[in-house]
Amino acid sequence: MSEDWNTKYGPRRVRRDPPTLDEAIFAAIGITDDVDQQAEIAASLIGMPYETVLAEVKKQSRVNARAASTRVIAGEAGAQRSVVVERRVVRRFGNDKRTGT
């Protein structure tokens, strides 16, 4: 899906993709612990029938229950850090004083 509109710089287009079922369930798990509410939230996010989403949420809750039994405690050396990537623009001119061209 995309949406077009005109700006002073010309037409612009933004691509909008609805979330996948796994993404919607992941978001719902972050909001609530109740399986029925998770299914409602995920179904409303992606526009699928509640019963279909409920079956998938129950499958994933069983998988997550097994994974919850193992705990990993990371020290400072293993802590996650944010990474910021910035683009530095290099401008080149025809007559560069450093190179003599």
Side-chain angles (χ1 to χ4, degrees), residues 2 7 17 22 26 28 37 40 42 44 50 55-56 64-65 69 71 74 78 83 88 90 93 96 101:
S2 65
T7 65
D17 293 328
D22 290 335
F26 180 79
Q37 289 179 353
E40 276 186 47
S44 67
Y50 171 77
E56 190 63 32
N64 290 338
S69 64
R71 293 183 183 175
V83 177
R88 193 174 86 181
V90 178
F93 299 101
D96 192 0
T101 58

Side-chain angles (χ1 to χ4, degrees), residues 57-76:
V57 169
K58 286 183 179 180
K59 285 181 198 174
Q60 286 198 10
S61 68
R62 277 182 265 157
V63 171
N64 290 338
R66 285 187 220 131
S69 64
T70 60
R71 293 183 183 175
V72 176
I73 300 172
E76 267 200 42

Side-chain angles (χ1 to χ4, degrees), residues 14-101:
V14 174
R15 183 175 171 182
R16 296 180 192 262
D17 293 328
T20 64
L21 181 59
D22 290 335
E23 292 170 340
I25 293 172
F26 180 79
I29 289 171
I31 295 172
T32 183
D33 292 331
D34 183 31
V35 175
D36 294 325
Q37 289 179 353
Q38 290 173 0
E40 276 186 47
I41 292 168
S44 67
L45 284 173
I46 58 176
M48 286 181 68
Y50 171 77
E51 293 78 20
T52 307
V53 176
L54 181 61
E56 190 63 32
V57 169
K58 286 183 179 180
K59 285 181 198 174
Q60 286 198 10
S61 68
R62 277 182 265 157
V63 171
N64 290 338
R66 285 187 220 131
S69 64
T70 60
R71 293 183 183 175
V72 176
I73 300 172
E76 267 200 42
Q80 293 182 351
R81 290 180 257 157
S82 299
V83 177
V84 177
V85 178
E86 295 180 0
R87 180 175 169 232
R88 193 174 86 181
V89 178
V90 178
R91 295 189 178 133
R92 298 182 186 213
F93 299 101
N95 294 332
D96 192 0
K97 293 179 182 178
R98 291 178 280 162
T99 60
T101 58

